Amino acid sequence: MRPGTQLARLPGAVLLAHRSPRRSPWRQVLLSIVVTHLLLVFLALVIYLGRHAGT
């Protein structure tokens, strides 16, 4: 398993994913919103636990 072979497969998969029909922009927007919300919740939990665990 050479690293070059995996890198060669990636552009084809990305191109095929971006050729999908009109729903792809909406799916990208929704996915980005979900990911940002998950990150914000995770950061809030880390901050909250960090403040209250050190008592």
Side-chain angles (χ1 to χ4, degrees), residues 14-40:
V14 171
L15 284 174
L16 285 176
H18 281 286
R19 286 181 190 171
S20 57
R22 301 172 185 171
R23 291 183 183 178
S24 57
W26 286 108
R27 206 174 277 179
Q28 241 180 358
V29 169
L30 285 175
L31 219 156
S32 60
I33 290 173
V34 168
V35 168
T36 50
H37 276 252
L38 284 174
L39 283 174
L40 287 175

